[in-house]
Amino acid sequence: MNSQNSKQKPENPLQNASRLSRMTFWWLKDLYKIGMTRPITDDDVYQTIDHHECDRIANKFKTLWQKELDGSKRPSALRLIYNAYGPPVLIIGLLFSVCETLMRCAQPLLLGELLTYFADESASKEWAYIYAAGIVICSIVPVITFHPFIYYIFEIGMKIRIGCSRLVYDKILRITKSVQEDGMHGKVINLLSNDFSKFDIALAFLHDLWKGPFETILLGFLIYREVGISGVFGILFILSFIPIQSYIGKKAAHFRNQTTKRTDIRVRLMNEIINGIQVIKMYSWQQNFAKVIEKVRRKEIAAVKGSSYILALLYTLWAVSRVSLFLTLITFVYSGNVLTARKVVNSFYRHSIL
């Protein structure tokens, strides 16, 4: 009855948007205009596009999972995700990563050549314009390509979350009563509400696994070519923090595992209390059970607090690149070399990227 009386949502303009409109997000202009005049309501939001519909995604995942069950002795959810969206994500991510790396490496080179033009009176003005145009292009291209790429990655992450959630939901409908009473409720709720949400952003960092080492080697070579052996000290200083970051990552995983387990315990206890609330009230056991829940919740908060401390420590390590730049320049100067604006700019940009 509610669906019959509900207002029909406007058609999604993404369905018929051109490639340029998709890249610039021009298809959202009407929604932006509404947002500038009044708060956006649920009726203003566009209809779901066809390939975002839950049933369509769920059927695809159920078909692929059935193939896994039929064709493999050890079905793998990772292989399921790869068969669903793996090849396009890898290809598009590879193209974007190569483009981004080239722009990152080319921009400091062009900026250094442009600074050389101002220091050298015999330099050609035409080349200065070329260097300036190249700097602008290196700034525009990542901006144009980054947002469509991230939108695509988040879209795929959303589809993976929806598909996996549907598989878990179908599994819940088939489990027996004895399994349900064995703490399965808490695990499933935690899985659906916390773990699956990580799919939305996890793919955005997938290509950093190979792009990071590749950029380190490439930029290390460029820094060495610019400032010589002094650049090696800065790079070694950055690399010396890898064991520390590895240890911090293990501690973060430890706290995350603790948080998950304690959340499962708390949710299971809450389910048991809700199921037996009449007995608890009849014997006036509310205060006793409240203390039990409070004790479990404090342990859960302690694990969450540990994860927050680890995250704060990781944020402080972002200053390592600045310290590395300082060590590089100090070593370069004390080696008897002359420090120029070009060398400072090139070293700054490359250490910032690292």
Side-chain angles (χ1 to χ4, degrees):
M1 185 173 181
N2 291 333
S3 61
Q4 293 176 356
N5 296 331
S6 60
K7 183 179 178 181
Q8 183 69 20
K9 290 187 176 182
E11 183 180 355
N12 199 317
L14 184 60
Q15 294 278 121
N16 303 316
S18 63
R19 185 175 297 275
L20 180 61
S21 178
R22 291 169 180 263
M23 291 186 63
T24 59
F25 297 93
W26 184 251
W27 56 275
L28 287 170
K29 65 181 186 303
D30 295 333
L31 195 61
Y32 292 152
K33 290 179 181 178
I34 296 174
M36 293 176 65
T37 57
R38 60 174 175 81
I40 296 176
T41 63
D42 185 66
D43 293 333
D44 298 324
V45 180
Y46 300 131
Q47 297 178 9
T48 304
I49 56 180
D50 294 339
H51 61 274
H52 285 175
E53 291 182 354
C54 180
D55 289 339
R56 185 171 179 175
I57 298 173
N59 292 333
K60 180 177 182 178
F61 269 70
K62 285 194 291 186
T63 302
L64 292 174
W65 182 243
Q66 190 61 43
K67 290 181 180 180
E68 283 289 316
L69 296 176
D70 297 338
S72 177
K73 295 182 179 179
R74 300 182 61 181
S76 171
L78 184 62
R79 189 162 53 241
L80 163 69
I81 296 173
Y82 175 80
N83 292 333
Y85 303 109
V89 169
L90 294 178
I91 294 174
I92 295 176
L94 178 63
L95 294 176
F96 170 78
S97 299
V98 170
C99 176
E100 184 185 34
T101 301
L102 291 177
M103 295 298 105
R104 281 183 173 184
C105 295
Q107 189 173 28
L109 290 174
L110 295 171
L111 185 57
E113 294 297 333
L114 183 61
L115 291 175
T116 304
Y117 162 77
F118 292 102
D120 187 4
E121 297 180 355
S122 62
S124 172
K125 182 180 292 186
E126 289 76 13
W127 280 105
Y129 284 121
I130 294 175
Y131 296 146
I135 294 172
V136 174
I137 292 174
C138 290
S139 300
I140 292 177
V141 170
V143 173
I144 294 175
T145 58
F146 173 77
H147 295 287
F149 171 73
I150 286 296
Y151 175 82
Y152 172 76
I153 289 297
F154 284 169
E155 182 183 35
I156 297 298
M158 177 195 68
K159 291 181 179 180
I160 294 175
R161 172 172 55 82
I162 292 174
C164 292
S165 299
R166 181 59 180 268
L167 290 178
V168 171
Y169 180 75
D170 291 343
K171 181 67 175 180
I172 293 174
L173 299 178
R174 297 194 300 269
I175 59 178
T176 60
K177 183 68 175 178
S178 59
V179 176
Q180 294 179 13
E181 295 176 351
D182 194 27
M184 181 61 68
H185 284 101
K187 294 180 180 179
V188 170
I189 292 174
N190 188 54
L191 192 67
L192 294 175
S193 61
N194 295 324
D195 295 340
F196 281 170
S197 62
K198 301 299 185 293
F199 281 125
D200 290 336
I201 60 175
L203 294 181
F205 304 100
L206 176 64
H207 293 277
D208 291 337
L209 295 176
W210 66 268
K211 189 171 64 173
F214 174 74
E215 286 187 352
T216 301
I217 296 173
L218 178 60
L219 295 173
F221 168 75
L222 295 176
I223 293 173
Y224 176 80
R225 196 188 70 168
E226 194 66 37
V227 296
I229 194 65
S230 302
V232 177
F233 288 99
I235 296 174
L236 291 178
F237 179 77
I238 294 177
L239 296 179
S240 65
F241 281 84
I242 292 180
I244 299 176
Q245 290 180 327
S246 177
Y247 172 77
I248 293 175
K250 290 181 180 179
K251 294 298 292 184
H254 169 71
F255 283 118
R256 174 63 182 169
N257 188 34
Q258 279 190 337
T259 303
T260 302
K261 290 181 178 179
R262 291 171 183 177
T263 301
D264 292 341
I265 294 173
R266 177 177 59 82
V267 174
R268 186 175 70 248
L269 285 175
M270 288 301 301
N271 287 332
E272 293 175 355
I273 291 173
I274 292 173
N275 290 332
I277 192 64
Q278 292 180 344
V279 177
I280 294 174
K281 282 186 170 294
M282 182 176 65
Y283 288 100
S284 300
W285 288 342
Q286 296 95 320
Q287 295 296 328
N288 295 329
F289 279 93
K291 291 179 181 179
V292 172
I293 294 298
E294 183 182 2
K295 183 178 179 180
V296 175
R297 180 59 177 167
R298 287 185 181 277
K299 291 182 179 180
E300 182 184 359
I301 291 297
V304 174
K305 188 183 295 184
S307 299
S308 300
Y309 287 149
I310 291 295
L311 184 61
L313 183 59
L314 286 175
Y315 282 143
T316 60
L317 293 180
W318 286 358
V320 170
S321 61
R322 300 296 187 268
V323 179
S324 173
L325 172 62
F326 174 75
L327 292 177
T328 298
L329 297 180
I330 288 295
T331 306
F332 183 76
V333 172
Y334 277 94
S335 299
N337 299 300
V338 178
L339 193 63
T340 62
R342 170 180 173 173
K343 296 184 183 300
V344 172
V345 169
N346 284 333
S347 300
F348 173 77
Y349 271 89
R350 287 162 187 162
H351 279 85
S352 298
I353 295 172
L354 288 175

